[in-house]
Amino acid sequence: MKLGRWFVPVVGGLAFVYLLVPIVYIFVFSFNDAGRTNLEWRGFTWDNWANPCGAPAVCESLANSLQVGIVATLIATALGTCIALGLVHYKFRFRKLTDVLIILPLATPEVVLGASLLAQFLNLGWELGYWTIVIAHTVFCMSFVIVTVRARVSSLDPRLEEAAADLYASPRLAFWKVTFPLLLPGIVAAALLSFAMSFDDFIITNFNSGNFQTFPKFIYVSATRGIPAQANVIGSAMFIIALLVVIIGQIISYRKKKQLEKI
């Protein structure tokens, strides 16, 4: 009985520690006084955080990844939200087939998806670079948006839109005043997920980027000689920003819940 009581917490704690070890390593070695390589600890320094762009091409590749991620996220979120609304509100032929096609990019291995997109771009005669990465990222990010937003749309009470229509609201006004505010948390969650997937992607990007370098490609090329400490600084900063976003979201959700309880 005691073993069963402690087994799950202990295993869960060990798994949690295992997941955090690489993050702790990156954070610690961001303060390393590295020389030509960053494989061994040489001493503590603040210089890497004071000059995160000190390593060649590190900030350029970061800017490229941010630009690709933002553009791909905006396109995927806009298209995916429209498709999710259409799938829930309208019935049409081959709807089951559409569901399969939406899930297919999620189930397809990234190697297969990246290679197939590369073949399409080469057949069309397109030069590999910024826009081919954006299109490739939009393809797989859109599926995440559709699945996430569709779940949110399905959970909405259709009587809310009917009530807005009874109060003489036009379909457009009812959408922007009633439906869209209720969908916004799901849309924001889908956008954040899409951006994280785009920013983190290496396999599909490596197939379709040509000479255009993103931050994951920079990390891959630099790994053989030790990732620069400045790259660890950027990685640590991105983790801290993501953690703050989650904490702020939880605080806002908690405050809204308390306000509703008071009402």
Side-chain angles (χ1 to χ4, degrees):
M1 188 69 178
K2 291 184 179 180
L3 179 62
R5 182 183 302 174
W6 289 102
F7 180 76
V8 174
V10 170
V11 173
L14 292 175
F16 190 70
V17 171
Y18 177 77
L19 292 174
L20 288 179
V21 166
I23 299 174
V24 173
Y25 175 88
I26 290 173
F27 185 76
V28 170
F29 271 75
S30 68
F31 296 98
N32 185 24
D33 187 14
R36 297 182 61 183
T37 64
N38 192 30
L39 298 176
E40 297 179 358
W41 180 261
R42 298 177 182 270
F44 183 88
T45 181
W46 289 100
D47 294 342
N48 302 323
W49 283 84
N51 184 23
C53 296
V58 62
C59 282
E60 180 183 354
S61 61
L62 173 63
N64 291 339
S65 286
L66 291 174
Q67 186 178 1
V68 169
I70 291 172
V71 174
T73 297
L74 291 175
I75 298 174
T77 303
L79 295 177
T81 300
C82 294
I83 295 173
L85 288 169
L87 290 173
V88 174
H89 289 304
Y90 301 100
K91 294 182 179 180
F92 50 90
R93 296 180 63 185
F94 306 114
R95 187 172 180 178
K96 294 295 183 181
L97 178 61
T98 304
D99 293 337
V100 173
L101 294 177
I102 291 171
I103 300 298
L104 196 58
L106 302 178
T108 303
E110 289 193 356
V111 174
V112 177
L113 185 59
S116 61
L117 287 170
L118 173 61
Q120 293 297 320
F121 293 141
L122 293 179
N123 288 332
L124 293 172
W126 291 5
E127 182 180 357
L128 300 180
Y130 171 78
W131 284 110
T132 55
I133 301 176
V134 170
I135 294 172
H137 285 198
T138 302
V139 168
F140 70 85
C141 285
M142 194 158 56
S143 295
F144 289 98
V145 174
I146 295 172
V147 172
T148 305
V149 177
R150 185 179 181 179
R152 181 65 178 176
V153 176
S154 299
S155 66
L156 297 182
D157 190 347
R159 291 176 295 182
L160 295 174
E161 294 182 351
E162 295 175 1
D166 290 340
L167 295 173
Y168 303 102
S170 64
R172 180 179 299 178
L173 184 61
F175 175 79
W176 289 113
K177 293 296 184 179
V178 178
T179 306
F180 183 75
L182 295 174
L183 290 180
L184 189 58
I187 295 174
V188 172
L192 291 175
L193 178 61
S194 296
F195 178 80
M197 296 298 296
S198 174
F199 183 86
D200 182 64
D201 182 77
F202 168 74
I203 298 176
I204 296 176
T205 302
N206 194 43
F207 273 100
N208 300 280
S209 59
N211 294 325
F212 191 85
Q213 189 174 52
T214 60
F215 191 67
K217 284 187 63 178
F218 174 83
I219 296 297
Y220 177 77
V221 173
S222 303
T224 55
R225 59 181 182 274
I227 299 173
Q230 289 80 2
N232 289 344
V233 171
I234 293 174
S236 301
M238 295 295 291
F239 174 77
I240 293 172
I241 292 172
L243 186 62
L244 290 176
V245 170
V246 173
I247 293 174
I248 292 172
Q250 291 296 322
I251 292 173
I252 294 174
S253 177
Y254 177 78
R255 288 182 176 178
K256 287 183 177 180
K257 183 178 180 180
K258 287 297 183 181
Q259 291 176 356
L260 292 174
E261 290 178 353
K262 290 180 180 179
I263 296 175

